[in-house]
Amino acid sequence: MTPVLTKNALHQFAPETSSDLLRAMVDIVPDAVCVKDRNLVYTACNATFLQVTGKRAEEVIGHNDIEVLPARQAQLCQQTDRHVLETGETVLAEEYV
C-alpha cells in the first residue's frame, strides 16, 4: 500500500531521503499528480490521482493509460506524452480524469 501524507501530518514527518521529501510534497498538493517512465508506464502517483481515478495504487503503478483511464482520455494522454518525449517540448495542459 502506498503511504499517504496529509497536510496535518507533514510536520510530524521526518524524511530520510530527498525522494521521501518529494513524495510528501506531492501527496499534499490538491491536484492529481502522476509520474510515468519513457514507456508511458506509471511509476508514481499521489493520493488525489487515486481518488480521481477511483483506482488503488496497485491498479495504477506498473500500468499504462489504456489500463487506467477511459479509452478516449488514455489516447489523448498518450498522444501528448509521446509528443513531449519526441520533441522535448514542454506542454502545459490540463488533463481531466
Side-chain angles (χ1 to χ4, degrees):
M1 179 178 214
T2 302
V4 176
L5 190 64
T6 63
K7 292 177 187 175
N8 294 335
L10 185 58
H11 70 279
Q12 298 172 355
F13 181 70
E16 295 180 20
T17 66
S18 58
S19 127
D20 291 337
L21 179 59
L22 178 60
R23 176 83 186 153
M25 292 170 52
V26 167
D27 268 343
I28 65 169
V29 298
D31 298 315
V33 177
C34 65
V35 178
K36 299 175 196 172
D37 64 17
R38 291 191 167 275
N39 296 315
L40 306 183
V41 173
Y42 290 96
T43 60
C45 66
N46 69 354
T48 304
F49 185 88
L50 297 175
Q51 181 181 19
V52 168
T53 61
K55 305 283 184 181
R56 296 184 325 272
E58 299 82 27
E59 296 174 294
V60 174
I61 307 305
H63 298 274
N64 63 38
D65 290 323
I66 303 288
E67 299 166 305
V68 174
L69 303 172
R72 179 66 181 139
Q73 184 173 2
Q75 287 177 325
L76 293 172
C77 287
Q78 287 192 339
Q79 182 181 8
T80 301
D81 292 345
R82 283 190 187 101
H83 175 78
V84 169
L85 288 172
E86 291 170 4
T87 66
E89 292 178 13
T90 300
V91 174
L92 180 58
E94 289 189 33
E95 295 174 346
Y96 297 93
V97 292

